[in-house]
Amino acid sequence: MKIELHWQILIGLIFGIIFGIIFPTNFKLTNEAIARLEEKQIPSELIFQLKESEKNFVETETEFLKSIHQLIGEKEYAKYEKSILKESAYNPYLPYVSWMGDLFMRALKMIIVPLILTSIISGVANIGTADNLGRLGVKTMVYYMLTSTLAILIGLFFVNVLKPGVGVDIGLSNSVDSLDIVRLSFSDTLMNIVPTNIFKAFTEGNMLSIIFFSIFFGYFITRVSDKYRLFLTTFFNSAFEVMMKLTYFIILFTPIGILGIVASVVSEQAGDINKLYTLAASMGTYMFTVIISLFFHAVITLPLIMKYGFKANPWAHFKAMRSALLTAFSTSSSGATLSLTMSSVQENSGVSNKISSFTLPLGATINMDGTALYECIAAIFIAQAYGIELSILDQLIVVATALLASVGAAGIPMAGLVMITIILTAVGLPLEGVGLILAVDRILDMFRTSVNVWSDSCGAVIVAKSEGEVLNV
Ligand code: ASP
């Protein structure tokens, strides 16, 4: 009996969850942990204290932090709590499965640059004329901007109706100093799309630059004499075929890869059940607001556009996308999911390589409906928690900056969290507010990434339909 891939992935996911719950990550000051702390610039008296403490039994996060607090005193605690916690994570069973997740993620990352490069070049070279390319480009961009804006408005509606932030205890917030905030201004981001060195862009995985270069390269293949054009088109079509074969091969390992990834994520969260309860109780409405809005956008808005605007069958397309969506959910990375998204959209939904290779890599980088919606809710939630009234104008600024932030966010886990600082700055909200949503961000990331990937795939179907392609959905 052959079990279909998405069922296998679901089984992997469930086993991952069970593993994470049975073997949660706790904390213990092992000798190795102390040795690692010694390497970081931690004062030797403190290391001595930790060594002498004989505190090497396993504790939950809350207990562990309490004992460390008692041991080293207020001032040192505030300073080193994070590093000590990080180095003392203790889970002897996790390595048995987490290596599968690591290996799988490495394989996905390995194929991403050559896959995008060959798929865009061959796709664009096959599109042919500049007219076609321009038309596809405009359609794709209109779809991206329109759906992201709709998503934000849905978020804005729910956050204003449900008011999850009103009455939230700000004392609960974590500090945010561990977030390394890398921010580029909007004009810098635009400027950086043109790489100064394309090989550097490849090695750094700089998506927008790679896409930019590939589109131009593909286009100018169509402008050279037949002898070269035919050779290069065949060459890149062949390379793309090979990359797709390799992608299918790696996709076969998705179920066990996801088992490893999910086991790590769940064990991290499951260590301290009490903490989870407190979080759920205080953050419940916030999480509910995000999830219900994402659900609304994914299940109502996008399918309605597909069905009534473009006569596509959303349900059939959803079934075609199951493996990719589950992978997006588990990896929290649109970038890592891209190869699955491309193969599902082409093989199952029947979109041509010409269109999917143009729309999907671009979509995975700039079209993030889920993230856009999330940014808007998070910013307004923070304003509500601090008791700050946002005027209509402020809310409009939130909408506009949420759109920019979602375009700028990379397709990697928790990229959206960092981008919220842009919105908070734009409307003058306290940056520490990010601490309020830190603890549940990783969980919500899974949901919003699935919506990001879903929207990209719907975009490919819509553009294909509008070009008159006959699809399976
Ligand atoms: N993880 C998301 C993605 O890859 C981005 C985000 O953090 O919102 O699509």
Side-chain angles (χ1 to χ4, degrees), residues 332-335 368 371 374-375 409-417 445 448-449 452:
S332 295
S333 166
S334 336
M368 300 198 175
T371 304
Y374 174 76
E375 302 285 312
I412 53 172
M414 293 176 85
L417 182 68
D445 198 5
R448 65 180 189 255
T449 308
N452 291 346

Side-chain angles (χ1 to χ4, degrees), residues 305-352:
I305 301 179
M306 275 177 99
K307 191 166 166 61
Y308 293 105
F310 298 87
K311 297 203 175 55
N313 180 342
W315 179 242
H317 178 56
F318 170 74
K319 285 203 280 196
M321 291 300 297
R322 279 180 297 201
S323 302
L325 293 176
L326 282 171
T327 308
F329 186 79
S330 317
T331 58
S332 295
S333 166
S334 336
T337 314
L338 180 58
S339 25
L340 268 108
T341 318
M342 287 183 58
S343 65
S344 306
V345 168
Q346 291 185 21
E347 289 296 306
N348 306 344
S349 299
V351 176
S352 67

Side-chain angles (χ1 to χ4, degrees), residues 115-176:
L115 180 69
I116 294 187
L117 187 78
T118 55
S119 93
I120 298 187
I121 293 181
S122 85
V124 172
N126 294 332
I127 290 178
T129 65
D131 282 355
N132 283 341
L133 188 60
R135 197 180 61 242
L136 279 186
V138 170
K139 280 184 188 170
T140 309
M141 289 313 284
V142 168
Y143 170 85
Y144 288 167
M145 294 306 123
L146 203 72
T147 51
S148 296
T149 311
L150 280 175
I152 298 174
L153 294 177
I154 291 166
L156 190 66
F157 171 76
F158 278 105
V159 76
N160 276 307
V161 172
L162 298 174
K163 297 198 185 351
V166 175
V168 161
D169 178 11
I170 300 187
L172 191 105
S173 68
N174 296 322
S175 70
V176 282

